[in-house]
Every structure is written in C-alpha cells, then in structure tokens.
Amino acid sequence: MKLKNMMMQKDMIQRLVRYKNALQKFKSLGLTRVFSDNLGEAAGTSAALVRKDISLAGLTVGNKRGGYPIDALLQGLDALLGTDTQQRVILVGCGKIGTALMHYPGFSSESIQIVAGFDNKPDRLDPDAAIPILPVSQLPAFVQAHGIQVAILAVPESAAAAVFDQLAAAGIQGVLNFSPVQLKPAPALVVQNINIALEIENLFTCIRFNQR
Amino acid sequence: MKLKNMMMQKDMIQRLVRYKNALQKFKSLGLTRVFSDNLGEAAGTSAALVRKDISLAGLTVGNKRGGYPIDALLQGLDALLGTDTQQRVILVGCGKIGTALMHYPGFSSESIQIVAGFDNKPDRLDPDAAIPILPVSQLPAFVQAHGIQVAILAVPESAAAAVFDQLAAAGIQGVLNFSPVQLKPAPALVVQNINIALEIENLFTCIRFNQR
DNA sequence: TAGATTGTTAATCGATTAACAATC
DNA sequence: TAGATTGTTAATCGATTAACAATC
C-alpha cells in the first residue's frame, strides 16, 4: 500500500476521488467486481489510465483475469485518501450563493458538513441557528476551537482578497473560492477556484469555435 | 488576425478569456500598456505562456520594447472571442442553487443574462416574473424561439441525465453542469462540469497529502 | 546607443496512450 | 487450455518553459 510515485498531483488525486465515488455507486448496485474499462467510463477517463493510476497508487489488488474486486479497491482508496469521516467546512460569505450552499443536498451524501457561516452584514448574523452565522471577527477563534481546515469563500469580489488573507492567517489549509479573484497561492494552502461567469464565457467561446 | 494554430483547445481559450478580463481591469485602472509578465500574473500564468498564446492567436500587436497596448490587444481578443454582446442563457432546475444563480451579481458584470428558468415542480413555476420560470415541457420551443445556445443545468442528480438529453435534443450547444453526473459527451456539445462536493473532497485529500 | 521586451524556436517536462508480457 | 484482463514498460503526444535573436 505504498505510493510508487511520491509526487501525486492534483489531477491524479481528482481521478482517485472519482474512482472512489464510481466504485461506491457500483457497489450500491450490487456489483462486486469491475474492469478497468467500466471504471474508466464511469469516471470519465480511459481504461489505461485507470490501470496506471491504480498501479501508481500502490493499490494493485486487481486480478489478471477477473478485474478488480470493488471492496478491496475501495478499502485501499479509503486508506489512501483518508477515511470518509465527516468533513467539516466553514462558509465565509452568506449571500445568495452562500446560503444556497448551506443547504446543498449534494453535501450530505458526501458526508460534507457546513458547520458555520460567517458574514459581516449584521442583518445576516444568526448565532443560534442550526448552522450559526457569526461575524467574521469570530472566525479565527472558531477555526482554532473546532480544528477547521477547509473554507468555502463566497464573498463579493471586492472583499475576496482581504478575507482570504484572514483565512490564511487563521490557519485554514484549503479554500474553495467562488469569487472571481485570482488568489495569491500562499504555499501549503490549497485553493480550488470556481468562477461561474468565466465558465459560461468559456462555453460561448468554445461554441463559437465549434461553429467554424 | 489569423490563428496560426487551427486547433485551439479549451485550456488556451480559457486563458484568452482570462487575459481579456485582466486587460479590462487594467484598462479601467487607467493603464494603456502591459508587459507579458504583468498580464501573466494577473491571469495566473507565466509571461512566456502569455507571449506564446498571443502569438499563437495571431494577435501580435506587441511592441518589442514597450509591451502590449491594452486597447489593441482587447480589440483583437474581442474579435477572436466574439464581441461581448449580451450572452443569454437559460437555467434548468430552479432549486436552491438555481435560484441563487438567477440573481448572481457576477453575471451582470460579464453581460451574462439568464433569460428564463425551467423546472418541473408546479409550485416553482412563475411565468410572469421578470425572469419567467416555465415548465420543462416548454423548453424546446423557448430555445428555438430565442436562439438559446447555452444552458445551466442545476437539477438533482436523479434527473440530470434525462434533462441533459432533452437539452441536447432541443439544440443546446453548451451546458454548464452542476450535477454530479458524468454526462455523455455528445459531439459538438460542450459540457463544463462544476462538481462542488467533489472539489471539496479534493481539497481535503490534497491537504492530507500536503501534511505528509 | 544601451537596455529591455517581444516573438519564436528549440528543449524540457509530464501526462496519457499504446502495447504487450504475465497470468488468472 | 484458451481467452481475457491486468500491471508495467516504452512510445507518443502536447503543453509549458527556456532561451535568444530581433528590434523598439
């Protein structure tokens, strides 16, 4: 169960997480084994890459004939990626997008839990709600008290850079950034950007090129 | 103003759009020229890649000494990427995420406009609102009547595949997919996936690897 | 002019794919 | 056994970077 390749980059991690999700789906369907091409299709990659990834991750539980046993592979992936304990997250910025995320049904199924929201607008605060909404000033203490590692950043563009600095200072290690700001890549702080407007612009541009 | 390289892939288009946004920001700051390294930093790439992209896109308006004139470069990019006319989009699935997107402030600034929502739950319908919410059954007619090319897909996982097929059948050419489903890549239909839960899982995994 | 910056070519790097021997 | 599928190595492919001549 050792990595053959110490350096495991974002893309591969992303695929491994996809494999895990796909395997869970297969398992819930009652299957016990998969072939590399099934898994590849389900995860949106090629069979060759599935085999390569599994091999590189040191999870070679495959059988040269009968494919991969789903349970063993899932176990290996869980051990590698971390057991799916509740993944607690805070949400910074409780505007429209933020509040929508607060009750996003897709989270519960992945055992992701938003444990608190933070905002600076007084009328948005609600310290006694099931998911409390607190002033940003209380963020560092909360992060430390609860050992929070990951934050969702859903503040307006104008506030993004400053709030990001506060998150970094508070010891946050991973940020899912919904603001259209290119955050400075502080080392050892993982940032994942989701720029919705940009994605739509890209779509239009890709379409335009398709038409030529 | 011709492409030197006919094949222009998603990544490069994405960067070009980023350059455009960055240049607009620079311009609004009153600047008239930029260097490749400024632009690279603003767009989150390297100076070398900025020069390469600009060259490959056939936009060589640079000056071997004084950098790029912002206006000329913007004009070239606009011609290449398409003028920023209003980019009209429909929204399919008007749950929490959907309604949040409906009034997302980041869209207006990019001249993206959601012109209608579609849903199947009767209590969500609202045909007379500023942004009407219509039954999905009316989608094909609407798409055709208004020449809609791009749809945002924000329906629950269980409905995603079926609705996607309807979109394809209706002639939609680009889909921004918020559902966690790997949609089948119908040719000549561009799909951009945003899987929020997956991104958060990735963050946790990356963090875990950082800590080793 | 001297210095700086582009445009472009060549080198590198890494990721994906192809292919095939091993083997269940 | 024969057939099929993995695990792994070698080949390919493409994207990024490095470097530098051209030149403002």
Side-chain angles (χ1 to χ4, degrees), chain A residues 81 110 192 199 201 208, chain B residues 81 110 192 199 201 208:
Chain A
L81 302 178
E110 305 288 338
Q192 201 77 250
E199 301 286 358
E201 276 199 84
R208 222 169 268 125
Chain B
L81 301 178
E110 305 288 339
Q192 200 75 250
E199 301 286 358
E201 276 199 82
R208 220 170 269 124

Side-chain angles (χ1 to χ4, degrees), chain B residues 194-212:
Chain B
I194 295 185
N195 190 333
I196 303 174
L198 186 67
E199 301 286 358
I200 292 183
E201 276 199 82
N202 282 339
L203 275 179
F204 275 104
T205 309
C206 289
I207 288 171
R208 220 170 269 124
F209 274 89
N210 269 351
Q211 287 165 343
R212 295 194 180 171

Side-chain angles (χ1 to χ4, degrees), chain A residues 8 14 17 20 25 80-81 110 149 157 173 190 192 198-199 201-202 208-209 211-212, chain B residues 8 14 17 20 25 80-81 110 149 157 173 192 198-199 201-202 208-212:
Chain A
M8 185 142 129
Q14 198 149 152
V17 173
K20 202 188 65 177
K25 208 161 289 180
L80 185 67
L81 302 178
E110 305 288 338
Q149 296 180 309
E157 179 171 6
Q173 295 173 67
V190 190
Q192 201 77 250
L198 186 67
E199 301 286 358
E201 276 199 84
N202 282 338
R208 222 169 268 125
F209 274 89
Q211 287 165 344
R212 294 195 181 169
Chain B
M8 185 142 131
Q14 198 149 152
V17 174
K20 201 188 64 177
K25 208 160 291 179
L80 186 67
L81 301 178
E110 305 288 339
Q149 296 180 309
E157 178 170 6
Q173 295 173 67
Q192 200 75 250
L198 186 67
E199 301 286 358
E201 276 199 82
N202 282 339
R208 220 170 269 124
F209 274 89
N210 269 351
Q211 287 165 343
R212 295 194 180 171

Side-chain angles (χ1 to χ4, degrees), chain A residues 3 8 10 13-14 17-18 20-21 25 41 44 80-82 87-89 96-97 100-101 103-104 106-107 110 112 149-150 152 157 173-176 178 182 184 190 192 194 196-212, chain B residues 3 8 10 13-14 17-18 20-21 25 41 44 80-82 87-89 96-97 100-101 103-104 106-107 110 112 149-150 152 157 173-176 178 182 184 190 192 194 196-212:
Chain A
L3 284 176
M8 185 142 129
K10 253 190 188 180
I13 293 180
Q14 198 149 152
V17 173
R18 281 230 180 83
K20 202 188 65 177
N21 289 342
K25 208 161 289 180
E41 196 188 6
L80 185 67
L81 302 178
Q87 303 189 300
R88 290 168 311 134
V89 169
K96 292 242 173 53
I97 295 279
L101 291 173
H103 306 99
Y104 182 54
F107 285 164
E110 305 288 338
I112 291 165
Q149 296 180 309
V150 169
I152 301 175
E157 179 171 6
Q173 295 173 67
V175 173
L176 185 63
F178 278 89
Q182 198 75 20
K184 297 295 164 213
V190 190
Q192 201 77 250
I194 296 185
I196 303 175
L198 186 67
E199 301 286 358
I200 292 182
E201 276 199 84
N202 282 338
L203 275 178
F204 275 102
T205 309
C206 289
I207 289 172
R208 222 169 268 125
F209 274 89
N210 268 352
Q211 287 165 344
R212 294 195 181 169
Chain B
L3 284 176
M8 185 142 131
K10 252 190 189 178
I13 293 179
Q14 198 149 152
V17 174
R18 281 230 179 82
K20 201 188 64 177
N21 289 343
K25 208 160 291 179
E41 196 188 5
L80 186 67
L81 301 178
Q87 304 188 299
R88 290 168 311 135
V89 170
K96 294 241 172 55
I97 294 280
L101 290 174
H103 306 99
Y104 181 53
F107 284 164
E110 305 288 339
I112 291 164
Q149 296 180 309
V150 169
I152 301 175
E157 178 170 6
Q173 295 173 67
V175 172
L176 185 62
F178 278 89
Q182 197 74 21
K184 295 298 164 211
V190 191
Q192 200 75 250
I194 295 185
I196 303 174
L198 186 67
E199 301 286 358
I200 292 183
E201 276 199 82
N202 282 339
L203 275 179
F204 275 104
T205 309
C206 289
I207 288 171
R208 220 170 269 124
F209 274 89
N210 269 351
Q211 287 165 343
R212 295 194 180 171

Side-chain angles (χ1 to χ4, degrees), chain A residues 90-93 117-119 134-146 148 151-153 163 166-172:
Chain A
I90 59 170
L91 172 71
V92 188
F118 291 89
D119 208 298
L134 309 170
V136 177
S137 58
Q138 294 182 23
L139 191 148
F142 188 96
V143 165
Q144 188 156 44
H146 295 79
I148 303 295
I152 301 175
L153 186 60
V163 174
Q166 288 178 275
L167 287 172
I172 286 290

Side-chain angles (χ1 to χ4, degrees), chain A residues 8 16 26 45-46 55 77 87 91 100 113 129 144 158 169 180 182-183 198 208:
Chain A
M8 185 142 129
L16 290 177
F26 283 138
T45 34
S46 69
S55 167
L77 279 171
Q87 303 189 300
L91 172 71
Q113 193 193 1
Q144 188 156 44
S158 55
Q182 198 75 20
L183 301 173
L198 186 67
R208 222 169 268 125

Side-chain angles (χ1 to χ4, degrees), chain A residues 12-145:
Chain A
M12 182 173 167
I13 293 180
Q14 198 149 152
R15 286 197 303 270
L16 290 177
V17 173
R18 281 230 180 83
Y19 299 153
K20 202 188 65 177
N21 289 342
L23 287 167
Q24 280 165 343
K25 208 161 289 180
F26 283 138
K27 184 179 179 178
S28 76
L29 255 55
L31 301 178
T32 63
R33 310 188 75 87
V34 276
F35 299 134
S36 54
D37 56 345
N38 305 141
L39 194 47
E41 196 188 6
T45 34
S46 69
L49 198 46
V50 168
R51 297 203 297 276
K52 181 117 212 186
D53 282 339
I54 289 178
S55 167
L56 239 49
L59 303 173
T60 82
V61 294
N63 183 306
K64 293 243 164 165
R65 177 64 178 71
Y68 298 91
I70 292 183
D71 274 328
L73 198 49
L74 264 177
Q75 252 174 40
L77 279 171
D78 272 341
L80 185 67
L81 302 178
T83 319
D84 249 359
T85 54
Q86 202 73 347
Q87 303 189 300
R88 290 168 311 134
V89 169
I90 59 170
L91 172 71
V92 188
C94 300
K96 292 242 173 53
I97 295 279
T99 30
L101 291 173
M102 223 145 179
H103 306 99
Y104 182 54
F107 285 164
S108 47
S109 63
E110 305 288 338
S111 60
I112 291 165
Q113 193 193 1
I114 297 182
V115 292
F118 291 89
D119 208 298
N120 268 333
K121 284 202 174 174
D123 55 311
R124 284 183 183 164
L125 302 183
D126 190 355
D128 299 321
I131 302 175
I133 300 183
L134 309 170
V136 177
S137 58
Q138 294 182 23
L139 191 148
F142 188 96
V143 165
Q144 188 156 44

